[in-house]
Amino acid sequence: MKLLEDKILACGKVLPGEVLKVDNFLNHQIDVALVTELGNAFYEHFSLYNITKILTVESSGIALAFAAAQRFNVPVVFAKKGKHKNVGDNVYTCECFSYTKGTTYDVTVSKDYLTKEDKVLIIDDFLANGAACECLMNIIGQAGAELMGIGIAIEKGFQPGGEKLRRQGIDVQSLAIIESMTGSSVTFRG
Ligand code: 5GP
């Protein structure tokens, strides 16, 4: 998606460890007009799937999921990170490895908000090794719900997550796929 690629070129910063910083428009300050367009693009791709719920992880997936959910007219459920006292035992839990922090953390979703009737679209800001998506897929499996597809804003195509998920037959729609990035340049898959 050219709009997103142009924004990455204008505002993204490549950090050591193959991390792209997009705080300027996605992860800290949010460019509402841009994120609305990203939500529209997810809707265009997945609109025929009868999605009943959008699932993401706090916090950076929430704005994107919200933008898409407005078009699908379905709720957003965001998985919570860490152990939470106030959700009790009525939760699905999965351990996830954080690409950016290099640590593992627990992810929980209340059983009240994901059931076997749900047809779920996962949305997240980045796809790198695929751990976050696999964790959400595990939670969808625990709920007996159905995964309909995965919408990603920025896929780092030089990391294995996208290929791993597509090889399983999952419809992964990434709005920008980075082919390579170095300190001074970012190139996209054509
Ligand atoms: P994965 O689980 O696919 O390895 O990594 C995806 C998760 O790690 C995303 O939820 C995102 O928050 C974070 N992430 C991975 N790579 C990057 C990156 O280059 N920049 C930022 N800002 N987050 C990333």
Side-chain angles (χ1 to χ4, degrees):
M1 183 184 187
K2 188 168 184 321
L3 189 67
L4 177 58
E5 292 180 359
D6 288 347
K7 193 73 176 181
I8 292 168
L9 292 176
C11 302
K13 290 198 175 67
V14 181
L15 302 183
E18 298 187 315
V19 170
L20 180 67
K21 191 170 184 225
V22 289
D23 282 27
N24 177 286
F25 61 96
L26 198 58
N27 287 160
H28 190 18
Q29 172 170 262
I30 293 174
D31 182 331
V32 175
L34 174 74
V35 170
T36 301
E37 286 306 318
L38 304 185
N40 288 340
F42 289 134
Y43 180 73
E44 274 165 34
H45 186 82
F46 293 108
S47 61
L48 299 177
Y49 284 60
N50 296 322
I51 303 294
T52 65
K53 216 151 271 186
I54 294 182
L55 181 64
T56 188
V57 195
E58 68 177 357
S59 59
S60 45
I62 295 176
L64 276 168
F66 181 97
Q70 278 198 313
R71 294 297 310 279
F72 286 95
N73 197 23
V74 298
V76 172
V77 176
F78 61 90
K80 296 192 174 198
K81 289 179 180 171
K83 298 199 189 298
H84 291 266
K85 282 191 190 135
N86 58 351
V87 291
D89 293 333
N90 187 39
V91 291
Y92 309 114
T93 304
C94 184
E95 195 179 75
C96 186
F97 179 76
S98 165
Y99 179 82
T100 45
K101 296 196 175 76
T103 55
T104 55
Y105 58 92
D106 283 324
V107 153
T108 61
V109 170
S110 168
K111 292 181 180 173
D112 292 338
Y113 303 129
L114 207 57
T115 70
K116 60 180 173 20
E117 280 74 40
D118 279 316
K119 293 176 182 299
V120 184
L121 174 63
I122 290 175
I123 285 196
D124 204 4
D125 57 346
F126 274 90
L127 176 56
N129 292 316
C133 286
E134 282 172 349
C135 185
L136 293 177
M137 286 160 60
N138 181 304
I139 281 176
I140 290 168
Q142 290 179 47
E146 191 178 355
L147 173 68
M148 305 308 289
I150 298 178
I152 298 291
I154 305 169
E155 175 178 338
K156 294 189 289 183
F158 53 88
Q159 289 176 314
E163 200 193 326
K164 221 170 16 175
L165 295 170
R166 291 187 184 96
R167 242 193 279 124
Q168 296 175 51
I170 299 166
D171 185 354
V172 180
Q173 172 72 353
S174 299
L175 302 180
I177 302 182
I178 296 177
E179 194 65 69
S180 69
M181 59 188 204
T182 63
S184 54
S185 78
V186 175
T187 56
F188 297 98
R189 196 169 285 175

